[in-house]
Amino acid sequence: IQFALSQNVPNPFNPVTTITYTVRVNALVHLEIIDMRGRHIKTIVAEEKTAGSHEVRWDATDEFGNEVATGTYFCRLSIKDAIEVRKFLFVK
């Protein structure tokens, strides 16, 4: 296993949630939020990361800074050709 994506805390959340992931080796990391229809909402991370544990926060906003609607969202972590996904619930 090259990486691990933990469940966000808290979940459900309002207004901010913390996402923790671990990378086993230095790698280009892509972490994004998508909606139930598979539409891209926001890129949280798109950069080279060193091996180890990393933490980011999502404030329930899209790429333009607009607050998203109440509902279910997915966090997708991609490294090379491997993907891991976690489900989030945003409530107002």
Side-chain angles (χ1 to χ4, degrees):
I1 298 174
Q2 291 183 13
F3 62 91
L5 176 62
S6 299
Q7 186 62 53
N8 65 308
V9 177
N11 188 30
F13 74 98
N14 180 3
V16 177
T17 191
T18 300
I19 304 160
T20 304
Y21 62 94
T22 303
V23 181
R24 306 275 187 255
V25 296
N26 295 359
L28 179 60
V29 173
H30 189 82
L31 184 76
E32 69 178 318
I33 306 297
I34 56 176
D35 69 10
M36 289 287 290
R37 294 183 180 171
R39 294 179 297 198
H40 172 81
I41 301 298
K42 187 171 191 173
T43 298
I44 307 294
V45 177
E47 61 189 17
E48 185 82 18
K49 290 291 187 179
T50 57
S53 184
H54 302 272
E55 183 177 288
V56 294
R57 292 165 56 95
W58 181 45
D59 61 0
T61 59
D62 65 15
E63 292 285 9
F64 307 104
N66 302 311
E67 185 176 79
V68 298
T70 293
T72 302
Y73 294 87
F74 298 91
C75 179
R76 180 169 57 194
L77 177 65
S78 308
I79 297 177
K80 295 185 182 178
D81 58 351
I83 297 172
E84 194 164 339
V85 177
R86 293 284 179 264
K87 183 165 65 171
F88 296 1
L89 182 60
F90 173 60
V91 293
K92 288 187 182 181

